[in-house]
Amino acid sequence: MPAGVPHSQAGRIAADHPLVGGHKGPVLDIAFCPHNDNVIASGSEDCVVKVWHIPDHGLVKTLTEPIVDLLYHQRRVGLVLWHPTALNVLLTAGSDNQVVIWNVGTGEALVHIDCHPDIIYSACFNWDGSQLLTTCKDKKIRIINPRTGVIESDAVCHEGSKATRAIFLRHGLVFTTGFSKMSERQYSLRTPDMLSEPIVMVELDTSNGVMFPLYDADTNLIYLCGKGDSVIRYFEITPEPPFVHYINTFQTPDPQRGIGMMPKRGCDVSICEISRFYRLTNSGLCQVITMTVPRKSELFQEDLYPDTIGDSSACTAEEWMEGKDVDPILISLKDGYKPPEAKISISVNRRRNVLDKGSGKSSKEAAKPQPEVSDKTLQDFADEIRKLKAMIVKHENRIRALEAEVALSKSNVDEDGPGGDGLNAVPPMASDEV
């Protein structure tokens, strides 16, 4: 997957452009870390989840070494999702019907969720990350406790056999997309305590593409983007009937293979840009689409830009596992988004696993905790290294001096020829005369 292309650059990228290329199979899903824009997680057909760090100014060569490899799934990994508030918490789901929640900082699996009888289509955390919403090939939608894996409620989502998607809205409602028995595309709005009885169920059309709902929590807008469609429909969610209001449709000539949405802090508030999309077309182009609200005033529009989710985590992975639920930290965009001077970096302190195979070591030896090296010991090693370096330099100087003396004495020998004192002269060799 390519990385490090600036927004201002347009046109075809070079054939030798640096890539992120550490997977052994096709990449099926990627997700940017919400708390560090330089960190990306990727899932692949090689059953491995990798976490990458992209430099601020992009890549200068192809990146093949990830921060950490997360190994658990036995089949391809088609879904990766970061926790909205907890630092370094990552969810992965594979074709082995398993959901795993990881602590990327330690490289260990925190929770295994094994309640899906078939492939997981989608997953979404609620606003504070205390609940997990999933859709499955068995046509059911489930609300799960992500810390324990216990199903809190479930219901049939859509009766069609094709893929479904579901997302949590900011105030707790659930929005889903799917198909009817007659293969008509539908969307619905539900409450978590009554999943089996939708508040709204609307049929859109008879297209075959799966619809992906993209949600803007600040404006309560939902954008429906179908795979293979050339349109983007957007709706507003309100607390009064009919609850889901159709606004408009954005039409393009080229169908889309995939689409991604820029976080609100990346939008340009000076032109009233409320959303920005990146569409991948069948021709291989990445098209940038901006949604703007026309306003004559050049002042900051507070109704369009309430405080939005920032790039700071609200709690650590350990605090979240202990039961702490906290809302995301919000920031104001009145003066534009300013990246933090000191970004949170992911440093992996992997814990030793007794199942890891050591080089020629038994499992008992591998399981023994390794002694930690104290700062005093490290300082002693550094002092000893400095002494050895000084001794090597001293010996090198002495060797050079001795070499100079040998060269000088040799030159003196060469000079003591027939005109010398004769002490070093070589006697002539006798020859046989005929």
Side-chain angles (χ1 to χ4, degrees), residues 88-137:
N88 294 344
V89 175
L90 178 69
L91 177 145
T92 63
S95 296
D96 53 2
N97 309 336
Q98 302 293 313
V99 176
V100 183
I101 298 179
W102 304 84
N103 182 351
V104 176
T106 59
E108 65 175 344
L110 300 176
V111 183
H112 303 124
I113 300 177
D114 185 15
C115 62
H116 299 87
D118 216 323
I119 296 175
I120 299 102
Y121 284 140
S122 70
C124 179
F125 287 102
N126 65 344
W127 181 248
D128 61 2
S130 60
Q131 291 181 319
L132 177 65
L133 178 69
T134 64
T135 58
C136 182
K137 194 175 181 180

Side-chain angles (χ1 to χ4, degrees), residues 109-335:
L110 300 176
V111 183
H112 303 124
I113 300 177
D114 185 15
C115 62
H116 299 87
D118 216 323
I119 296 175
I120 299 102
Y121 284 140
S122 70
C124 179
F125 287 102
N126 65 344
W127 181 248
D128 61 2
S130 60
Q131 291 181 319
L132 177 65
L133 178 69
T134 64
T135 58
C136 182
K137 194 175 181 180
D138 67 350
K139 304 180 183 180
K140 282 192 175 183
I141 182 174
R142 294 173 174 85
I143 295 180
I144 303 170
N145 185 328
R147 298 185 180 94
T148 62
V150 175
I151 300 175
E152 297 180 353
S153 60
D154 62 352
V156 174
C157 186
H158 294 272
E159 296 182 348
S161 58
K162 296 181 181 179
T164 57
R165 296 289 186 273
I167 57 173
F168 264 122
L169 304 186
R170 180 168 184 170
H171 300 293
L173 295 179
V174 173
F175 186 89
T176 70
T177 61
F179 294 82
S180 67
K181 286 184 177 180
M182 305 302 292
S183 294
E184 296 173 320
R185 293 200 295 188
Q186 299 175 322
Y187 69 79
S188 72
L189 187 68
R190 308 163 189 253
T191 58
D193 52 351
M194 295 291 289
L195 287 178
S196 58
E197 298 181 8
I199 303 174
V200 175
M201 178 74 79
V202 176
E203 296 178 352
L204 281 177
D205 52 32
T206 57
S207 179
N208 294 325
V210 177
M211 288 190 299
F212 296 88
L214 301 178
Y215 177 55
D216 180 6
D218 300 335
T219 57
N220 273 327
L221 291 178
I222 290 182
Y223 301 87
L224 293 186
C225 314
K227 188 174 182 180
D229 289 358
S230 57
V231 299
I232 300 176
R233 299 179 177 91
Y234 42 106
F235 304 80
E236 182 180 6
I237 309 297
T238 60
E240 65 275 353
F243 304 107
V244 182
H245 298 264
Y246 169 76
I247 298 179
N248 206 344
T249 298
F250 176 81
Q251 183 76 41
T252 59
D254 300 323
Q256 58 207 13
R257 295 178 57 190
I259 193 166
M261 186 177 182
M262 169 72 77
K264 182 59 69 69
R265 63 179 187 271
C267 295
D268 188 353
V269 299
S270 63
I271 61 173
C272 296
E273 180 187 17
I274 60 172
S275 297
R276 186 186 303 172
F277 300 95
Y278 295 86
R279 293 178 69 250
L280 184 63
T281 64
N282 288 331
S283 57
L285 299 178
C286 182
Q287 180 186 9
V288 182
I289 298 174
T290 61
M291 299 286 185
T292 59
V293 177
R295 295 283 175 89
K296 293 183 178 180
S297 174
E298 296 182 355
L299 298 177
F300 179 74
Q301 307 295 315
E302 295 184 357
D303 60 328
L304 298 181
Y305 301 103
D307 289 351
T308 189
I309 298 177
D311 55 359
S312 300
S313 59
C315 63
T316 64
E318 291 76 14
E319 291 173 340
W320 179 75
M321 278 301 297
E322 291 172 358
K324 183 177 181 180
D325 292 326
V326 58
D327 288 345
I329 297 177
L330 305 180
I331 60 174
S332 174
L333 297 178
K334 187 172 184 179
D335 299 324

Side-chain angles (χ1 to χ4, degrees), residues 412-428:
N412 292 334
V413 169
D414 294 338
E415 291 176 358
D416 290 341
D421 56 7
L423 295 178
N424 295 323
V426 178

